[in-house]
Amino acid sequence: MAQGQKWLVLKFGGTSVSRRDRWDTIGRMAVERGAATGARVLVVVSAVSGVTNELQAICEGNDVHARMAALVDRHRAFCEELGLDADAALGARLAELQGLLDDPRAAERPLPWQAEVLAQGELLSSTLGVAYLRSQGLDFGWCDAREWLQAGQVPNRSEWALRLSVQPSREIEPGFAARFSSHPSPMVLTQGFIARHADGGTAVFGRGGSDTSAACFGALLGAVAVEIWTDVPGMFSANPRVVPDARLLTRLDYAEAQEIATTGAKVLHPRSIGPCRRAGVPMAILDTSRPWLPGTRIDASASAVPGVKAISRRDGVVLVSMESIGMWQEVGFLSDIFALFKHHGLSVDLIGSSETNVTISLDPSDNLVTSNVLEALATDLARVCRVKVIAPCTGITLVGRGMRSLLHRLSDVWATFGRERVHLISQSSNDLNLTFVIDEADAEGLLPLLHAELIRSGAMPVLDPGVFGPSWREIEFGRPQRREPWWIAARGDLLARAAVGTPRYVYRLETVRERAREMLATTAVDRCYFAIKANPHPAILRTVAGEGLGLECVSLGELQHVFATLPELPASRVLFTPSFAPRREYEAALAMGVTVTLDNIEALQRWPDVFRGHTIWLRLDLGRGDGHHEKVRTGGVAAKFGLPLARFDAFLAHAHALDIRISGLHAHLGSGIDDPRHWREVYAHLAGLADTAGDVEAIDIGGGLPIPYTPDAQDFDLAAWRAGLDEIKAACPRYALVVEPGRYLVAQCGVLLLSVTQVVEKDGVHRVGCDGGMNALMRPALYDAWHGIHNLSRLEDAATGTFEVVGPICESGDVLGRNRQLPTATAEDDVILVADSGAYGMTMANTYNLRALPAEDIIE
Ligand code: ADP
Ligand code: ASP
Ligand code: MG
């Protein structure tokens, strides 16, 4: 048999070894990948999924006998699934496992015994795996990984770390590859996770450490590659199970992968990268159930693309805050306190310091931070400083190249954190990471928000195809059909309208009708009001009212406009939700008979006679905001809207005293919210409150539905939105469910047509000037909003030039879009189309610089 020296290492994780069909894949991949690379294959396996958790519980002395029995049963059943005789294949191993409970050490559970217990998971899975593969005719040999991998000898680590979270040995063993290659079978299967301790016993690499075993083998063998086969098709820009829009990272260099892994991305064990990096062995992360997907490649040749690549989260972080008591800046103070950490065998991760305080974090994967250890440490530290232990905390890290130069783009990310209590911020000196430590309780739901913010701000360059692949959502559910914009087919008509004069908004009413029907087709929704502030054009108001929607107004001016446009409209179909409006607007609205929403007690106190005896709705602030930009978040302490929940009872008491009936509760927490679950949560929250408020009939969960402005964004998942509402409505059906979308109904119906005035190059930047800018469309200047910009005159030309698209206003903020691709031939008088501008376009336009307002056209 060929004794080739070339090796390929394939590592299969827990879920990849837990079913028979997965073992078929392992066998097939070993043969195929070996043939493709011309290398012998070493397969490294984890324990069957969930088994290490059980073994760990046994180590902790938890329900030991029942767990042991269940583990034995599970492995026997698996043998049956694999068509193996359990006694022949696994009898000796199962006996060894059970024997560990009869071992005299089981009473005290010392660390070496725990390591042996933990090792059984991998010993079992590799033994039954090799028996199965052989039964399928594959020539696989088995080896005990402890014969080959040594635990590293690292000074000052705790006993726990030196046994149960060991570092791989860095020693290069001469002749390792030759010795290993003398194994008689062409393919070899071994265990991940376990290594030989210096005392001859067993040690383990820490939870998730099988990746590290594979990497060590790869490095020692000088393998052609180490492939990590798991249950996701690669490393993503965030944990895809938490952030469905996370993008596959197709290429990473070792340093970035290291940073993403260290800061919490469980998909790759952090200690696995070092050995491969030092030995120059490329790594790949691939999906066992979808082997055809490209996965993530990690090597030294990945090009260094600046920008945030990933956001990760680490729970269970412990912070130790040390307040100086006069010794700060004294020579040796820091050395004294760090000596205490060393003494307790604790490795420090992040450090933050100020004049009087040093705060450090302890990483749970590196330290056994039990309350005993912490107490002992705190007692020692208390002699030199005031100590506070803050736990459990979460570290949230942005990883990418050139973090420092990205800071200016992160303003909304700061704003998101601004609402939480940040204990520590740390920026690594290698400029690869920026970490925020907050209370674990505050981290809930933060990652999807931050991820969306990073994409929106351009800090995460997801349009770079060299690094970013498809999103998890796309891989799982296929790319949803993004509706083709209507204006492509209407190009001739639009060019003719532009010839009459620009700037000009054009609205297609059929698009408004389509969206209105989508809203009305939502069974759970009882009433839908169009928030007319998005676009009060009379033709649009007639269209939405004609479809059966109500209208929502925020000023007396809007109310008067509605009734002037639609004199027949019953007042019951109009909602008035003003903010800080003057008294007379409430008086006028109540006199008109529309539904009035109030959001503060002060109005009742100052103007009791205005509201006495009336029926109103109450707008609440549920304590949090959401949305595509800080300026559109309308909940939480920073927002001026809504009655805080703490004053809810006081409001009810005031209302009661004035004989006011509250028939509706309302909350609108922001605009452009991507998470379809948001609205059902608002309904659930309000319904809980409504139950205590007496007469409530309607619950208004606001608007805020997003539209996909950027090319990589997807259509809002209306199906998920509906499903959430159906579910919650079925659970609390007592109230009429009211929504009030604005943007969703009209944004995509409108385009803004502009004419090119000048094309100018300055210091390498090419600018296309248009006859309308922030005066015609404020959103880019106001919210850094992104709108598609197209040269309608040259739609068939390749958009290969990079331009900044600006307006004619004397403000440097008058930029419609930066780094936009347009045809290089773009020239004076070309017609530029700004897409998706039917919402908050004309309605915010102004005559700044005394430039005329845009014209407006309707396509029936
Ligand atoms: P295995 O058992 O195959 O070793 P793991 O559970 O250790 O698999 O790692 C895979 C899991 O890592 C994924 O299922 C995913 O939930 C999680 N994960 C966390 N962060 C990321 C990320 N950034 N990219 C991909 N997966 C991640
Ligand atoms: N089986 C071990 C664990 O679950 C090691 C691994 O799967 O990587 O942590
Ligand atoms: Mg793993």
Side-chain angles (χ1 to χ4, degrees):
M1 159 210 342
Q3 293 280 326
Q5 298 298 306
K6 241 166 93 174
W7 284 90
L8 170 70
V9 181
L10 309 181
K11 178 258 166 177
F12 292 87
T15 48
S16 306
V17 298
S18 299
R19 290 199 329 232
R20 180 176 179 145
D21 63 310
R22 296 286 151 88
W23 278 103
D24 292 330
T25 308
I26 294 175
R28 203 178 56 247
M29 292 321 295
V31 172
E32 278 175 18
R33 300 291 300 125
T37 53
R40 287 179 68 183
V41 173
L42 169 64
V43 170
V44 177
V45 294
S46 287
V48 170
S49 148
V51 166
T52 312
N53 289 347
E54 293 302 302
L55 293 169
Q56 194 165 316
I58 290 174
C59 289
E60 286 157 11
N62 255 327
D63 221 351
V64 170
H65 292 284
R67 284 183 198 279
M68 183 60 81
L71 279 176
V72 171
D73 286 351
R74 177 151 181 217
H75 283 91
R76 284 188 173 276
F78 196 20
C79 282
E80 202 166 307
E81 183 187 334
L82 294 174
L84 299 172
D85 173 349
D87 287 324
L90 226 46
R93 285 254 164 260
L94 290 171
E96 188 186 330
L97 170 64
Q98 287 166 302
L100 281 163
L101 287 191
D102 305 328
D103 187 315
R105 296 174 298 171
E108 295 285 318
R109 294 182 274 111
L111 292 167
W113 175 83
Q114 292 191 26
E116 274 176 49
V117 172
L118 289 170
Q120 299 307 313
E122 271 70 9
L123 289 166
L124 284 162
S125 65
S126 59
T127 305
L128 64 76
V130 94
Y132 176 70
L133 293 173
R134 282 187 192 143
S135 75
Q136 300 302 299
L138 295 173
D139 193 354
F140 258 100
W142 183 93
C143 75
D144 185 329
R146 292 169 294 186
E147 306 293 320
W148 300 95
L149 300 185
Q150 314 296 325
Q153 298 292 41
V154 185
N156 302 320
R157 311 236 30 220
S158 67
E159 285 299 311
W160 173 84
L162 286 172
R163 183 65 66 170
L164 299 187
S165 182
V166 296
Q167 311 260 6
S169 164
R170 284 198 179 210
E171 265 168 54
I172 309 292
E173 292 173 46
F176 182 99
R179 277 192 298 120
F180 195 83
S181 300
S182 67
H183 199 290
S185 300
M187 295 183 284
V188 181
L189 190 134
T190 193
Q191 312 76 39
F193 194 40
I194 63 177
R196 175 74 64 218
H197 192 273
D199 67 6
T202 301
V204 295
F205 285 121
R207 293 307 307 270
S210 294
D211 303 334
T212 295
S213 310
C216 290
F217 274 111
L220 288 163
L221 293 170
V224 288
V226 169
E227 298 182 351
I228 307 290
W229 290 83
T230 182
D231 60 355
V232 284
M235 202 174 229
F236 280 70
S237 57
N239 184 349
R241 306 200 190 273
V242 179
V243 183
D245 288 320
R247 302 285 293 261
L248 175 66
L249 298 164
T250 48
R251 286 299 294 275
L252 288 172
D253 61 28
Y254 293 112
E256 288 171 321
Q258 178 71 66
E259 214 65 33
I260 299 172
T262 312
T263 57
K266 184 179 166 227
V267 63
L268 199 55
H269 194 247
R271 289 188 198 135
S272 64
I273 298 152
C276 285
R277 192 191 65 228
R278 286 190 291 274
V281 174
M283 304 178 83
I285 305 174
L286 297 148
D287 190 333
T288 314
S289 59
R290 289 171 286 197
W292 56 88
L293 289 172
T296 300
R297 312 260 145 201
I298 303 166
D299 56 35
S301 69
S303 59
V305 176
V308 177
K309 304 285 167 49
I311 173 161
S312 37
R313 163 177 178 169
R314 234 176 334 166
D315 286 341
V317 171
V318 174
L319 285 185
V320 183
S321 157
M322 292 158 285
E323 202 75 37
S324 117
I325 41 178
M327 294 181 201
W328 181 239
Q329 286 184 342
E330 272 190 21
V331 174
F333 173 70
L334 282 179
S335 131
D336 289 348
I337 57 173
F338 284 123
L340 295 173
F341 283 92
K342 175 176 166 186
H343 172 71
H344 290 279
L346 294 169
S347 81
V348 170
D349 186 20
L350 307 170
I351 307 177
S353 72
S354 72
E355 275 288 306
T356 56
N357 177 287
V358 185
T359 299
I360 63 88
S361 76
L362 301 172
D363 184 331
S365 61
D366 266 345
N367 295 291
L368 181 68
V369 275
T370 60
S371 46
N372 288 349
V373 174
L374 287 177
E375 253 169 51
L377 172 77
T379 311
D380 285 352
L381 283 170
R383 293 195 200 107
V384 278
C385 55
R386 259 192 302 278
V387 198
K388 197 162 119 208
V389 174
I390 310 168
C393 291
T394 292
I396 292 188
T397 305
L398 315 186
V399 181
R401 295 222 160 265
M403 293 301 297
R404 277 189 272 265
S405 59
L406 288 171
L407 294 181
H408 68 285
R409 288 190 185 267
L410 299 177
S411 56
D412 282 341
V413 173
W414 303 124
T416 307
F417 277 116
R419 282 175 271 141
E420 316 300 342
R421 220 177 114 210
V422 178
H423 296 299
L424 178 69
I425 300 181
S426 149
Q427 199 231 324
S428 67
S429 48
N430 62 7
D431 203 17
L432 269 175
N433 101 36
L434 186 62
T435 298
F436 301 78
V437 183
I438 58 178
D439 284 337
E440 215 172 271
D442 291 339
E444 212 40 58
L446 210 55
L447 248 56
L449 265 181
L450 287 169
H451 192 268
E453 212 62 86
L454 287 168
I455 294 183
R456 206 197 54 76
S457 65
M460 184 180 277
V462 288
L463 297 179
D464 188 324
V467 179
F468 291 91
S471 73
W472 170 257
R473 203 196 289 278
E474 274 173 46
I475 294 170
E476 280 289 280
F477 309 110
R479 183 177 261 280
Q481 290 289 312
R482 176 90 178 255
R483 294 181 262 226
E484 170 154 311
W486 59 269
W487 50 262
I488 293 182
R491 179 184 175 208
D493 178 27
L494 291 172
L495 287 172
R497 289 170 193 267
V500 179
T502 50
R504 175 174 299 269
Y505 278 100
V506 184
Y507 311 125
R508 175 179 178 261
L509 296 183
E510 193 49 33
T511 303
V512 181
R513 285 184 206 107
E514 281 165 16
R515 299 292 178 279
R517 287 169 197 167
E518 283 172 13
M519 285 289 113
L520 294 176
T522 307
T523 336
V525 169
D526 296 292
R527 271 177 267 159
C528 178
Y529 295 86
F530 168 51
I532 77 158
K533 63 178 182 291
N535 191 333
H537 191 287
I540 288 188
L541 297 192
R542 280 193 288 271
T543 304
V544 286
E547 291 296 322
L549 274 70
L551 301 175
E552 191 245 348
C553 302
V554 293
S555 72
L556 183 55
E558 284 192 355
L559 285 173
Q560 287 163 340
H561 174 67
V562 159
F563 289 113
T565 310
L566 297 158
E568 308 287 310
L569 190 74
S572 60
R573 281 179 56 192
V574 177
L575 205 58
F576 183 52
T577 318
S579 169
F580 286 86
R583 169 183 177 138
R584 63 187 170 78
E585 297 204 3
Y586 292 97
E587 286 170 343
L590 288 165
M592 287 173 176
V594 303
T595 304
V596 172
T597 303
L598 199 60
D599 71 353
N600 63 83
I601 297 183
E602 286 79 352
L604 297 183
Q605 289 169 330
R606 290 196 56 81
W607 312 319
D609 295 336
V610 173
F611 297 102
R612 193 186 310 278
H614 280 287
T615 297
I616 60 166
W617 284 13
L618 168 62
R619 176 173 187 167
L620 287 162
D621 175 358
L622 300 181
R624 58 186 196 278
D626 208 338
H628 70 83
H629 188 271
E630 192 194 348
K631 289 183 186 152
V632 300
R633 289 183 196 129
T634 50
V637 274
K640 65 170 180 163
F641 304 93
L643 180 83
L645 289 178
R647 301 189 75 189
F648 184 50
D649 291 338
F651 189 96
L652 295 184
H654 269 84
H656 187 68
L658 292 175
D659 195 21
I660 294 170
R661 191 174 151 247
I662 297 165
S663 66
L665 289 186
H666 169 226
H668 171 71
L669 304 186
S671 189
I673 301 169
D674 291 315
D675 185 350
R677 292 166 302 185
H678 163 84
W679 290 266
R680 59 156 287 162
E681 282 158 20
V682 171
Y683 183 88
H685 200 160
L686 289 178
L689 295 163
D691 290 344
T692 64
D695 294 332
V696 174
E697 293 157 4
I699 288 188
D700 181 344
I701 54 174
L705 282 73
I707 67 124
Y709 285 106
T710 52
D712 66 303
Q714 279 140 23
D715 279 339
F716 179 59
D717 193 345
L718 202 66
W721 181 76
R722 283 181 176 149
L725 294 184
D726 285 345
E727 197 183 297
I728 196 72
K729 189 71 195 303
C732 12
R734 277 180 50 200
Y735 307 102
L737 196 164
V738 180
V739 291
E740 45 183 59
R743 177 196 322 279
Y744 189 79
L745 291 169
V746 291
Q748 290 169 309
C749 88
V751 294
L752 171 62
L753 302 178
L754 304 170
S755 299
V756 174
T757 52
Q758 307 181 27
V759 180
V760 174
E761 186 267 346
K762 182 184 155 194
D763 296 333
V765 178
H766 295 260
R767 290 192 175 83
V768 170
C770 299
D771 58 358
M774 63 190 286
N775 56 325
L777 180 67
M778 282 247 278
R779 297 190 71 250
L782 192 59
Y783 308 129
D784 298 323
W786 204 100
H787 283 266
I789 300 177
H790 309 269
N791 187 332
L792 200 61
S793 308
R794 300 175 198 270
L795 213 47
E796 55 290 305
D797 292 7
T800 48
T802 302
F803 295 94
E804 186 170 295
V805 182
V806 300
I809 298 300
C810 292
E811 290 282 343
S812 44
D814 185 23
V815 178
L816 290 169
R818 294 195 159 84
N819 288 324
R820 296 312 182 87
Q821 304 302 122
L822 290 170
T824 37
T826 297
E828 186 181 346
D829 295 332
D830 280 0
V831 176
I832 295 291
L833 177 144
V834 185
D836 304 320
S837 46
Y840 307 104
M842 184 63 180
T843 178
M844 285 187 178
N846 56 74
T847 57
Y848 186 35
N849 288 188
L850 298 190
R851 293 205 173 271
L853 288 174
E856 289 183 290
D857 275 1
I858 294 291
I859 300 178
E860 288 290 337

